[in-house]
Amino acid sequence: MRKVVSLFNKVLIANRGEIALRIIRACRELGLTTVAVYSEADRDALHVRFADEDVCIGPGPANQSYLDYKRIIAAAEVTNADAIHPGYGFLAENADFAEICESCGLTFIGPTPEQIRQLGDKIQAKNIMKEAGVPVIPGSEGIVTSFKEASQLANEIGYPVILKAVAGGGGKGMRYCRNIAELERGFQLASAEASNAFGNPDLYLEKVVLNPHHVEIQLIGDSAGNYFHFGERDCSIQRRHQKLIEETPSPLMTDELREKMGKAALIGAKKVGYRGVGTIEFLVDNNRDFYFMEMNTRIQVEHPVTEEAYEVDLVQDQIRVALGETLGYKQEDIKLKWAVIECRINAEDVDHDFRPTPGTISGLHFPGGPGVRVDRAVYTSYKIPPFYDSMIAKLIVKARTRKDAINRMRRCLDEFIVEGVPTTIPFHKEIFRHPDFVAGDYDNTFLDTKFKANQQLPEEERSQLTIKRSTGEAIEQPVLDKLQAQEEMKTEEVVGDKNQ
Ligand code: MV4
């Protein structure tokens, strides 16, 4: 029999938690052998149990284990792995790491080091997109080198403007400026902040997009130059730049806009000859005008939203592309099939500024039933280590309509039991009762404005929604209260009758 030569047969997963499990599952179905790496804090982790082989790579702190590329490359060599999947976070968008993998003869499952580097530089990424004809936010061509230069530009494009750190991300080193005085002060503060946080004081300037939606397009490219997109995810529900809820379709989306944004995303990806799964983040304003913000060159936390909505396996496709396979999609056959919503469940104390709450999960029950997916790597008696992020599960539900998906999410949040550590589940329950969220009337300011204001009211004055049992139709709490009051009056009448 002819021996089938494959670019790789054994994949080392340079990650932990639910995404490590997700990748192991994809590898298994593709007939690939898996190697888990783990820190001393992760000895009892599920990714270690489910991988074919495993290697301990160091102590709990990530910089001595999951971020230490020397230990990871050594683990690959010891086990004869011939590919590395980085997952998300850790080394996933580290161009140097991707380069080191390639120079050690290991396939890095992701785009080329060059692509990671280009798109990781925010100004370069913006310039590439602009050249390709993708709309970008008006602002400086490159870095702004002085307050004077910034203020001249701000006068041209109009206030408010935003200063962003070239090396930044996650909102760090970002500053809103409503006038020249704020710009002068902002320039100094942002520059100092960027210098401290990233060792690079460089800033660029943009016009502020007011009340935007964060809408991102999922795409994939293969090495034969085929590109496809899988619509959008709306990730506008964020707290301090941490996403809490993601959904598709976006409440603001139209079929026409999806096609336009999808096309723009693919034009951008083609421009760099992108290979693998990627996401282009856009800001979308009230007029449904959209602007490129940045491109993520990794599989993202929220990828299951797209997998469920479009009935695809993005992690398998990502690995297939790395194996050199050609994608068999036709864009016109990639159809949105479900309304999908994801909640990120974190072990955090909502009442204490969302402080992470590592500790032992003493009791655990996951929601189930039709249309429910829970991606997680925690189990009963699992000890959440203090070294990593606090996300313990992703709850993903799908239904035919957004209304039904919201109804299903509420049912699942009620069913989801975590004992031993506080989680963000109660916070999610509140969001799914907020009339504006339920109406799809939200943007990236929702949590800090409308939601916060509502939560600060006394319990009985809060505007909250409940879902009517028979139809799933959303009706307002005050209406329910009236009905309830009428019921109580009836009862009193009856009671009164009896007593007379
Ligand atoms: C913006 C913006 C408005 N206008 N840029 C936040 C993180 C970083 N990736 C960019 N961010 C923003 N950039 C311009 N020109 C508003 C934000 C922003 C934001 C964007 C998406 C989702 C949530 C957000 C929360 C605060 C600020």
Side-chain angles (χ1 to χ4, degrees):
M1 225 166 68
R2 194 172 66 92
K3 195 175 164 219
V4 180
V5 183
S6 181
L7 267 175
F8 55 85
N9 295 297
K10 197 189 259 194
V11 179
L12 180 143
I13 296 119
N15 216 302
R16 62 182 301 281
E18 64 86 20
I19 193 62
L21 270 188
R22 173 72 190 83
I23 296 161
I24 290 169
R25 287 175 171 143
C27 288
R28 271 277 154 76
E29 291 182 8
L30 289 169
L32 298 164
T33 308
T34 54
V35 179
V37 293
Y38 64 99
S39 73
E40 284 161 17
D42 276 342
R43 276 188 194 291
D44 300 323
L46 287 186
H47 75 282
V48 181
R49 295 244 305 257
F50 287 112
D52 296 307
E53 295 170 43
D54 54 79
V55 183
C56 182
I57 52 168
N63 60 358
Q64 294 170 64
S65 46
Y66 300 105
L67 282 171
D68 186 343
Y69 63 84
K70 286 188 197 137
R71 296 173 192 242
I72 288 167
I73 300 283
E77 284 181 346
V78 163
T79 54
N80 254 324
D82 41 17
I84 295 193
H85 196 307
Y88 55 69
F90 297 127
L91 297 166
E93 287 171 290
N94 186 317
D96 294 341
F97 178 65
E99 210 161 68
I100 290 162
C101 288
E102 302 295 343
S103 70
C104 293
L106 297 159
T107 301
F108 177 82
I109 301 178
T112 65
E114 172 73 0
Q115 289 162 355
I116 300 174
R117 204 163 277 135
Q118 284 179 323
L119 296 162
D121 177 324
K122 290 184 160 193
I123 290 180
Q124 210 182 329
K126 219 177 141 175
N127 288 337
I128 290 168
M129 294 301 156
K130 201 171 162 185
E131 237 176 80
V134 179
V136 300
I137 306 168
S140 58
E141 292 272 323
I143 62 170
V144 281
T145 53
S146 66
F147 158 64
K148 192 163 163 255
E149 193 186 333
S151 104
Q152 273 167 2
L153 193 60
N155 284 339
E156 277 169 43
I157 63 176
Y159 288 94
V161 294
I162 196 165
L163 287 167
K164 293 182 178 180
V166 172
K172 243 196 189 147
M174 214 173 77
R175 210 129 217 135
Y176 283 91
C177 311
R178 284 169 295 184
N179 51 49
I180 188 162
E182 285 187 2
L183 184 63
E184 178 154 33
R185 190 160 167 66
F187 190 88
Q188 264 141 26
L189 289 173
S191 186
E193 210 171 293
S195 188
N196 274 332
F198 317 112
N200 178 357
D202 291 348
L203 304 175
Y204 63 106
L205 184 136
E206 284 180 348
K207 188 170 176 60
V208 168
V209 180
L210 290 166
N211 298 348
H213 273 247
H214 170 129
V215 178
E216 55 187 35
I217 301 288
Q218 176 68 56
L219 61 87
I220 189 165
D222 65 22
S223 33
N226 300 302
Y227 295 91
F228 304 98
H229 75 84
F230 301 88
E232 81 284 4
R233 294 181 292 258
D234 195 314
C235 310
S236 303
I237 306 290
Q238 302 191 7
R239 184 186 170 277
R240 301 207 180 143
H241 305 295
Q242 295 293 318
K243 294 169 185 165
L244 289 174
I245 296 171
E246 304 100 347
E247 67 171 314
T248 196
S250 166
L252 67 65
M253 195 51 65
T254 63
D255 289 345
E256 198 190 345
L257 181 61
R258 179 176 300 116
E259 202 175 316
K260 260 169 66 178
M261 292 181 70
K263 274 194 178 140
L266 295 191
I267 287 169
K270 268 181 209 166
K271 183 81 182 173
V272 293
Y274 193 79
R275 186 198 64 198
V277 293
T279 303
I280 299 201
E281 297 182 357
F282 293 100
L283 289 181
V284 185
D285 68 16
N286 293 333
N287 305 322
R288 294 206 173 91
D289 285 327
F290 62 90
Y291 306 93
F292 169 83
M293 195 160 54
E294 53 190 78
M295 180 161 181
N296 300 316
T297 57
R298 60 174 188 273
I299 189 80
Q300 285 187 286
V301 174
E302 60 270 30
H303 76 275
V305 172
T306 303
E307 291 191 325
E308 295 303 316
Y310 287 83
E311 296 180 348
V312 291
D313 189 325
L314 292 171
V315 180
Q316 270 199 25
D317 286 347
Q318 179 189 33
I319 297 168
R320 284 181 195 282
V321 165
L323 279 163
E325 285 185 29
T326 303
L327 294 164
Y329 292 113
K330 286 195 198 111
Q331 186 64 53
E332 62 269 25
D333 293 342
I334 299 176
K335 290 256 165 64
L336 177 65
K337 300 208 169 75
W338 300 91
V340 181
I341 313 179
E342 171 177 279
C343 284
R344 295 191 190 188
I345 311 297
N346 294 344
E348 290 172 357
D349 186 348
V350 171
D351 296 328
H352 290 91
D353 204 29
F354 290 74
R355 180 179 67 201
T357 52
T360 301
I361 296 176
S362 52
L364 190 58
H365 174 80
F366 294 115
V372 182
R373 168 174 170 181
V374 185
D375 279 19
R376 48 89 194 186
V378 295
Y379 52 84
T380 309
S381 82
Y382 175 74
K383 196 168 170 222
I384 304 166
F387 306 108
Y388 316 108
D389 76 15
S390 56
M391 193 180 77
I392 56 166
K394 304 187 298 205
L395 169 56
I396 306 112
V397 305
K398 68 176 181 190
R400 287 297 169 203
T401 66
R402 183 172 189 270
K403 199 180 275 182
D404 291 342
I406 289 171
N407 196 31
R408 181 160 280 165
M409 183 61 85
R410 296 177 57 165
R411 189 266 291 172
C412 287
L413 289 166
D414 286 340
E415 245 179 68
F416 205 142
I417 297 167
V418 180
E419 287 169 342
V421 296
T423 73
T424 47
I425 291 171
F427 189 74
H428 278 112
K429 285 182 184 172
E430 297 277 318
I431 295 175
F432 281 83
R433 293 177 70 86
H434 194 286
D436 291 324
F437 176 80
V438 172
D441 181 13
Y442 66 77
D443 56 46
N444 75 331
T445 64
F446 173 77
L447 285 185
D448 287 335
T449 56
K450 287 174 173 171
F451 184 71
K452 204 176 197 174
N454 190 50
Q455 292 313 100
Q456 281 165 353
L457 292 174
E459 188 100 28
E460 60 276 14
E461 286 172 36
R462 283 182 204 169
S463 162
Q464 295 208 327
L465 277 177
T466 195
I467 307 272
K468 218 197 279 179
R469 185 152 49 104
S470 56
T471 61
E473 199 180 309
I475 55 171
E476 279 227 52
Q477 187 67 32
V479 179
L480 268 193
D481 288 342
K482 261 183 236 158
L483 290 174
Q484 180 78 23
Q486 281 167 13
E487 283 302 316
E488 277 162 15
M489 270 169 60
K490 270 192 225 156
T491 316
E492 273 167 20
E493 275 167 24
V494 173
V495 172
D497 277 344
K498 224 182 194 175
N499 284 348
Q500 267 175 2

